[in-house]
């Protein structure tokens, strides 16, 4: 017994010594880059870039000073503000789910930032404010406008997508700036965070003049902790930088539906990023009819990958930039897609879930926000969590909330409503609504428009005020069940959200932002208004003062003094009667 | 005397019932002249549904009613229309009974002064006879019930009607000479809308007069009575506020109700002067002008008390008028209350110099309010200045009106 403990102790020492040597080695990090080209049912093409840096280090615990692939700016941010998860997206345009199909990762128009903090943070609001200001500097976006009037604390919608053992929702903050525009100024710092920057690998295709000439441009940064290995004893940090762009047949394609890398990006690929462990291009060549292919891809792909993505079985042509066989025939790779036959109705698939939102009503006093959610699944019903953030100056009346499905009232099983406080906090409405199969649900709520102080209007007040898009978080039941595959082996676009089983997939949809007009005072009138109102008050005050302090007493007519005598003499000379 | 009053009540109730069932009810409820952020019925319903959802109604900035209203309407929400019709009826009956008592007092005083030969000979035409004073209470009740402002206020279910009822009961209690009831109703009125605090002075003066205690600073009896009345008032106020605390177990209602009344954060247009003034105010001076405007309501009390200590009921009328004009969120319901008192001094009517211009001003402005609102908010062809101008004119008319009556009352009283 004693010998066993001594032996165990010695072994432990030995192991300690070994790990002590291992601690001197810098933590491992790896980069995978990927481009997914998916032709959309409407003839447009969506290109999704993903750059995933994985860093086997526990940032908070070990004092890290050596950064290799993981950008230092973000690493320092995570350790300084004790961030658990960070998701920032800058988007221009709107993903049209009805015509383009379900998105892999949608982002709302404008800037969106949501952050989970570690439970060690004591003052979350202060950390949130400082963090948004730092990110504003890093990404050259006006994220410093994020304050308490547009930040909310969702209770059910934004669950952590990475590892999490604490889910106290008071550690979560969510803000959207729908008015924010995205431009080259935001793309440049985003590209700088990539290990190869825009000099090698897939990032050479990211040319601003082509990327912003599109219907939809969304760039995002996602940081989350993940399990280092299957046993999940230690964590690694994962940074995903995604960029989704949709090229329009008419503006980018000049009316022709054939696409190529050169046509889209005005560049071709010559090499993979030397720092990447994996660099691949996936082209979606799925077609419903296996014999009659829809799309022809040149050069011929070296391999084909099949997977169940978003509940659908899809086939991808794979180009591995790291394989030497790819650049055998030519020095540069220009993937070309040609349509072999026009699309027919069998190829077009309706998305299982899509939503739209609009404002109705007339005049500047009241209005109504209506959200329509469509469930086109033929026989499965599923619940959806709807999050609405409405600014305080549109006063919502929760007693006017009605949810109607198929002509009958549909009561939500969970409602969380936090009313707004003037100039401090927006409205927050979260509901869990059950959507029956093959139905359209209409959610309406009435509001009243407030008159603001003249300094609270933007310089262009008649443009209107933006209402952030509402968020739908859903576990959509898949039509085809997916097999569980290890994250490291599967393509990046299949491992965006953790899935517990293959029977459903997670989708986060955003609706359109709304533009609402408010009544405005006349901005040229401050001095006039102050004068006129004070005059009315003074009229009252003066009248009452006069009334209350005036006393009446009888006055004897005065005999007159010297001046009167003089005046009478002059009057006699003139021949006028005396005073 | 009771029969004409009952007939008047029936007519008033019928008019209101008819309007409730018509399509005008929705239109009137939305009018900003009739419902303010403090008294709108929509907000009462919103507060009650927030309570049903488990959220405190005072956690947002929608609900600014006192917990008393929550207590009242939690059980009576189904019968809201009936409640508002009954409050109007109660106000009218209270005013009727109070003015009856007031007439008796006036007549007794007049008889005493005639016997003491205090009147000058050429004032004979001002001496009032019982016959002409017989119909004044009925006129007061009908003035209140059939005033279009009151009818609109009732149809819109504005809680201003409840405020008016409490003030009317306070007036009745004061006329009857019951200091305790007077203090309780005054505390309720102050609790509901804060500004009736200024009615403490006229009520005190009247009760002192009734007890034949002279109003002299050196008199001991004066101070004893004043402290008694003040103590009754403050104690009832404290009790009511503590009862409100126990409804939701929080003091949240105090900043939500009184903080809201005093700091005027909501700039929804109404018939008062505050909204546009603070919409166009430079941020730096905002606090200063809020204080100035609030002091403006309260500071007429002392000078009026000194000057009008012989005529406390007239003082009360002037004070109610000043509150209705200068409070932070006035509505036409408040105006209807002081207009109901006008028949009491109808014997002075022929001495009013510009009654025609003033009444035209008020009527035209009342008609122009909805027109210019529509042009600004719905048609988009006017802007906020048009509505603001009518607000100004209306308030100037009201102020001149009150000033004319005050002049007459002071001089001829």
């Amino acid at each position: 017994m004693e010998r066993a403990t001594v032996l165990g102790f010695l072994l432990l020492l030995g192991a300690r010594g070994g790990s002590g040597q291992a601690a001197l080695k810098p933590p491992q990090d790896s980069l995978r880059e990927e481009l997914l080209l998916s032709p959309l049912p409407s003839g447009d093409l969506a290109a999704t870039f993903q750059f995933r840096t994985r860093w086997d280090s526990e940032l908070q615990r070990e004092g890290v000073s050596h950064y290799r692939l993981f950008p230092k700016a973000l690493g320092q941010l995570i350790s300084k503000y004790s961030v658990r998860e960070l998701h920032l997206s800058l988007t221009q345009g709107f993903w049209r789910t009805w015509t383009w199909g379900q998105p892999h990762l949608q982002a709302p128009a404008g800037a969106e930032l949501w952050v989970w903090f570690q439970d060690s943070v004591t003052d979350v609001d202060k950390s949130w404010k400082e963090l948004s200001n730092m990110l504003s500097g890093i990404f050259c976006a006006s994220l410093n406008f994020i304050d308490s009037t547009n930040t909310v604390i969702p209770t059910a919608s934004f669950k952590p997508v990475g590892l999490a053992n604490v889910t106290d929702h008071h550690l979560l903050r969510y803000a959207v700036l729908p008015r924010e525009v995205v431009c080259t100024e935001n793309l440049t710092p985003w590209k700088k965070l990539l290990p190869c920057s825009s000099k090698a690998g897939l990032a050479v295709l990211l040319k601003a003049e082509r990327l912003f000439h599109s219907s939809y441009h969304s760039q995002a940064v996602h940081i989350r902790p993940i399990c280092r290995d299957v046993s999940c004893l230690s964590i690694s940090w994962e940074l995903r930088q995604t960029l989704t762009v949709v090229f329009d047949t008419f503006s980018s394609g000049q009316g022709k539906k054939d696409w190529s890398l050169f046509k889209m990006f005005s560049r071709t690929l010559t090499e993979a990023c030397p720092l990447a462990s994996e660099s691949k291009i996936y082209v979606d060549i799925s077609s419903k009819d296996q014999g009659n292919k829809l799309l022809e891809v040149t050069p011929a792909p070296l391999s084909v990958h099949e997977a169940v993505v978003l509940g659908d079985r899809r086939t991808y042509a794979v180009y591995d930039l790291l394989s030497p066989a790819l650049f055998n025939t030519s020095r540069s790779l220009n993937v070309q897609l040609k349509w072999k036959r026009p699309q027919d109705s069998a190829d077009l698939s309706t998305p299982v879930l899509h939503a739209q939102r609009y404002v109705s009503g007339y005049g500047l006093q009241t209005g109504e926000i209506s959200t329509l959610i469509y469930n086109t699944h033929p026989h499965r019903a599923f619940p959806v969590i709807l999050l609405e953030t409405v600014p305080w100056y549109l006063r919502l009346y929760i007693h006017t909330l009605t949810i109607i499905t198929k002509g009958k009232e549909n009561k939500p099983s969970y409602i969380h409503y936090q009313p707004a406080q003037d100039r401090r906090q927006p409205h927050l409405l979260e509901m869990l609504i059950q959507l029956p199969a093959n139905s359209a649900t209409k959610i309406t709520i009435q509001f009243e428009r407030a008159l603001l102080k003249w300094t609270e209007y933007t310089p262009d007040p008649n443009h209107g005020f933006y209402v952030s898009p509402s968020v739908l978080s859903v576990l959509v039941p898949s039509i085809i069940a997916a097999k569980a595959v290890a994250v490291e082996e599967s393509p990046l676009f299949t491992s965006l959200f953790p899935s517990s089983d293959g029977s459903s997939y997670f989708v986060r949809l955003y609706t359109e932002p709304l533009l609402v007009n408010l009544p405005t005072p006349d901005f040229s009138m401050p001095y006039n208004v102050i004068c006129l109102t004070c005059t009315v008050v003074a009229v009252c005050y003066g009248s009452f003062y006069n009334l209350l302090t005036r006393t009446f007493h009888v006055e004897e007519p005065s005999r007159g003094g010297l001046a009167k005598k003089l005046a009478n003499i002059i009057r006699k000379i003139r021949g006028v009667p005396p005073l | 005397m009771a029969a004409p009053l009952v007939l008047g009540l029936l007519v008033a109730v019928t008019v209101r019932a008819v309007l409730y069932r018509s399509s005008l009810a929705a239109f009137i409820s939305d009018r900003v002249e009739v419902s303010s952020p403090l008294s709108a019925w929509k907000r009462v319903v919103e507060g009650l549904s927030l309570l049903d959802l488990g959220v405190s109604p005072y956690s947002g900035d929608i609900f600014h009613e006192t917990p008393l209203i929550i207590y009242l309407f939690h059980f009576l929400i189904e019968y809201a229309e009936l409640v508002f019709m009954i409050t109007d009826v109660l106000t009218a009956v209270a005013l009727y009974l109070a003015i009856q008592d007031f007439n008796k007092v006036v007549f007794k005083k007049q008889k005493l002064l005639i016997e003491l030969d205090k009147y000058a000979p050429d004032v004979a035409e001002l001496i009032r006879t019982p016959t002409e004073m017989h119909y004044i209470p009925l006129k007061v009740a009908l003035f209140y019930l059939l005033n279009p402002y009151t009818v609109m206020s009732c149809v819109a279910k504005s809680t201003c009607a409840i405020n008016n009822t409490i003030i009317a009961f306070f007036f009745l209690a004061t006329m009857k000479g019951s200091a305790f009831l007077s203090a309780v109703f005054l505390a309720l009125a102050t609790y509901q809308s804060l500004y009736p605090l200024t009615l403490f002075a006229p009520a005190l003066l009247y009760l002192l007069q009734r007890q034949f205690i002279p109003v002299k600073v050196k008199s001991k009896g004066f101070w004893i009575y004043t402290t008694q009345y003040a103590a009754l008032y403050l104690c009832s106020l404290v009790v009511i506020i503590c009862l409100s605390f126990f409804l939701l177990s929080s003091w949240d209602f105090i900043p939500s109700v009184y903080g809201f009344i005093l700091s005027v954060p909501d700039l929804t247009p109404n018939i008062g002067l505050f909204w546009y003034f603070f919409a166009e105010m430079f941020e730096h001076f905002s606090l200063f002008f809020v204080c100035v405007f609030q002091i403006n309501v309260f500071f007429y009390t002392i000078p009026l008390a000194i000057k009008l200590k012989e005529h406390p009921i007239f003082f009360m009328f002037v004070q109610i008028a000043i509150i209705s004009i200068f409070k932070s969120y006035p509505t036409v319901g408040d105006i209807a209350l002081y207009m109901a008192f006008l028949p009491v001094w109808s014997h002075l009517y022929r001495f009013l110099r510009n009654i025609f211009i003033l009444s035209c001003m008020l009527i035209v402005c009342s008609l122009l309010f909805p027109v210019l609102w529509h042009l600004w908010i719905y048609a988009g062809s006017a802007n906020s200045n048009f509505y603001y101008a009518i607000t100004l004119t209306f308030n100037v008319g009201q102020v001149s009106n009150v000033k004319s009556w005050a002049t007459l009352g002071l001089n001829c009283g």
Side-chain angles (χ1 to χ4, degrees), chain B residues 81-109:
Chain B
E81 293 169 3
L82 214 59
V83 168
F84 283 101
M85 283 200 270
I86 290 175
T87 51
D88 270 358
V89 162
L90 285 173
T91 314
V93 168
L95 286 175
Y96 178 87
L97 294 169
I99 299 297
Q100 256 186 347
D101 270 349
F102 176 62
N103 277 348
K104 289 196 194 114
V105 165
V106 162
F107 195 61
K108 237 191 311 196
K109 194 163 139 191

Side-chain angles (χ1 to χ4, degrees), chain A residues 363-365 395 397-399 417 419-423 451 454 521-522 525-526 529 533 536 540-541 543 547-548, chain B residues 30 46 49 55 59-61 265 267 276 279-281 299-300 307 326 373 377-378 384-385 388 392 403 406 410:
Chain A
L364 295 173
Q365 190 177 5
R395 301 180 208 273
Y397 285 94
I398 196 78
H399 70 271
Y417 178 62
Q421 286 175 353
D422 278 9
R423 302 179 179 90
L451 184 74
W454 70 306
D522 188 347
M525 288 274 286
V529 168
T533 308
V536 173
C540 178
Y541 172 76
S543 315
L547 204 62
L548 296 173
Chain B
D30 276 336
E46 177 68 11
S49 30
V55 179
S59 58
D61 262 338
L267 299 173
Y276 207 50
E280 299 273 13
M281 175 54 63
F299 99 129
Y300 290 105
K307 195 76 180 177
F326 290 114
W373 177 259
I377 297 287
Y378 295 100
S384 48
N385 292 334
Y388 169 64
L392 279 180
K403 184 207 133 211
L410 265 174

Side-chain angles (χ1 to χ4, degrees), chain A residues 362-366 395-400 415 417-425 427 446-456 519-534 536-537 539-545 547-552, chain B residues 30-32 42-43 45-46 49-50 53 55-56 58-62 265-269 273 275-283 286 289 293 296 299-300 303-304 307-308 318 322 326 373 376-378 383-385 388 392 395-396 399-400 402-403 406-407 410-411:
Chain A
Y362 64 97
L364 295 173
Q365 190 177 5
T366 50
R395 301 180 208 273
L396 290 183
Y397 285 94
I398 196 78
H399 70 271
T400 57
I415 270 196
Y417 178 62
Q418 197 174 38
Q421 286 175 353
D422 278 9
R423 302 179 179 90
R424 281 200 302 268
Q425 206 184 14
H427 294 280
Q446 287 176 7
F447 64 87
E448 208 175 67
R449 301 172 209 225
L451 184 74
L452 305 176
K453 297 186 183 169
W454 70 306
T455 48
E456 290 172 347
T520 57
D522 188 347
F523 297 99
S524 61
M525 288 274 286
Y527 181 68
N528 302 2
V529 168
I530 295 173
C531 282
L532 290 168
T533 308
C534 290
V536 173
V537 176
V539 160
C540 178
Y541 172 76
S543 315
F544 272 95
Y545 179 80
L547 204 62
L548 296 173
T549 55
R550 194 167 52 176
T551 50
F552 289 100
Chain B
D30 276 336
R31 297 245 46 85
V32 286
K42 205 171 170 187
R43 293 191 182 224
V45 176
E46 177 68 11
S49 30
L50 279 175
L53 268 178
V55 179
S56 162
Y58 301 110
S59 58
D61 262 338
I62 283 277
D266 189 329
L267 299 173
T268 315
L273 298 161
W275 63 278
Y276 207 50
F277 190 73
F278 290 111
E280 299 273 13
M281 175 54 63
F282 300 101
E283 234 0 88
S286 194
F289 277 103
F293 269 60
N296 187 44
F299 99 129
Y300 290 105
L304 280 172
K307 195 76 180 177
L308 285 172
V318 175
I322 287 174
F326 290 114
W373 177 259
W376 172 27
I377 297 287
Y378 295 100
N383 64 10
S384 48
N385 292 334
Y388 169 64
L392 279 180
N395 280 306
V396 165
V399 159
S400 309
V402 173
K403 184 207 133 211
T407 324
L410 265 174
N411 298 340

Side-chain angles (χ1 to χ4, degrees), chain A residues 196-421:
Chain A
C196 277
S197 190
S198 49
K199 298 190 172 53
L202 292 172
V204 299
L205 297 175
L206 300 174
K207 289 288 157 216
E209 70 268 9
R210 300 301 303 166
L211 285 180
F212 288 103
H213 198 63
S214 58
S215 318
Y216 177 81
H217 171 101
S218 172
Q219 61 197 59
V221 169
H222 303 277
I223 302 175
R224 60 177 176 172
I226 54 173
C227 287
R228 200 172 292 188
D229 46 28
V230 178
S231 59
C232 219
L233 287 166
S234 47
I235 61 166
S236 303
W237 284 92
E238 184 194 73
L239 163 69
R240 280 187 194 232
Q241 291 183 251
T242 64
L243 193 143
T244 310
V245 61
V246 173
F247 291 104
D248 202 305
T249 330
F250 296 104
S251 47
S252 325
Q254 287 120 35
K256 296 201 203 64
K257 282 211 219 164
D258 298 333
W259 295 103
S260 71
L261 279 184
F262 187 78
K263 191 174 178 195
M264 290 189 283
F265 302 107
S266 67
R267 290 289 297 267
T268 54
L269 290 165
T270 48
E271 53 163 349
C273 174
L275 298 166
S277 61
E278 194 181 299
S279 181
K280 288 192 174 143
I281 299 182
Y282 292 87
V283 184
D284 188 348
I285 52 171
S286 0
S287 67
K288 291 271 153 58
D289 185 359
Q290 284 302 336
N292 192 0
K293 290 233 181 290
L294 194 56
L295 217 57
E296 188 198 320
V297 188
T298 50
L302 295 170
S303 59
V304 162
H305 179 89
E306 285 203 4
V308 177
V309 172
L310 294 177
D312 231 357
R313 190 176 305 273
R314 297 198 161 272
T315 319
Y316 297 93
V318 183
Y319 297 88
D320 190 347
L321 290 167
L322 287 172
S323 79
L326 192 67
F327 294 106
N328 260 350
T329 43
S330 68
R331 286 228 22 232
S332 70
L333 171 67
N334 183 19
V335 178
Q336 287 174 333
L337 292 89
K338 278 201 188 49
W339 295 87
K340 285 178 76 179
R341 59 174 170 84
Q343 281 176 319
D344 51 31
S345 55
D347 297 309
L348 298 169
S349 57
T350 52
V352 176
L353 174 77
H354 72 282
Q356 62 181 114
R357 192 169 71 149
Y358 54 92
V359 170
S360 51
Y362 64 97
L364 295 173
Q365 190 177 5
T366 50
E368 190 178 67
I369 298 180
S370 308
T371 312
L372 284 167
I373 311 180
Y374 300 93
N375 173 6
T376 56
H377 200 286
H379 49 265
R380 290 287 298 275
F382 51 85
V384 60
I385 299 179
L386 175 69
L387 171 76
E388 291 233 21
T389 310
V390 178
W392 66 266
Y393 39 82
L394 301 179
R395 301 180 208 273
L396 290 183
Y397 285 94
I398 196 78
H399 70 271
T400 57
L401 175 71
T402 50
I403 308 176
I404 305 217
T405 310
K406 288 183 179 165
K408 286 193 305 221
E409 207 200 310
N410 181 356
K411 263 187 87 67
S413 40
Y414 169 75
I415 270 196
H416 172 75
Y417 178 62
Q418 197 174 38
Q421 286 175 353

Side-chain angles (χ1 to χ4, degrees), chain A residues 97-129:
Chain A
T97 316
W98 181 243
T99 43
W100 292 346
Q102 214 93 55
H104 289 278
L105 183 68
Q106 191 186 4
E112 183 204 40
L113 175 66
W114 57 282
V115 176
W116 274 94
F117 289 92
Q118 303 274 2
D119 49 353
S120 57
V121 175
T122 44
D123 189 351
V124 183
D125 289 315
K126 184 160 161 275
S127 302
W128 170 250
K129 180 104 191 124

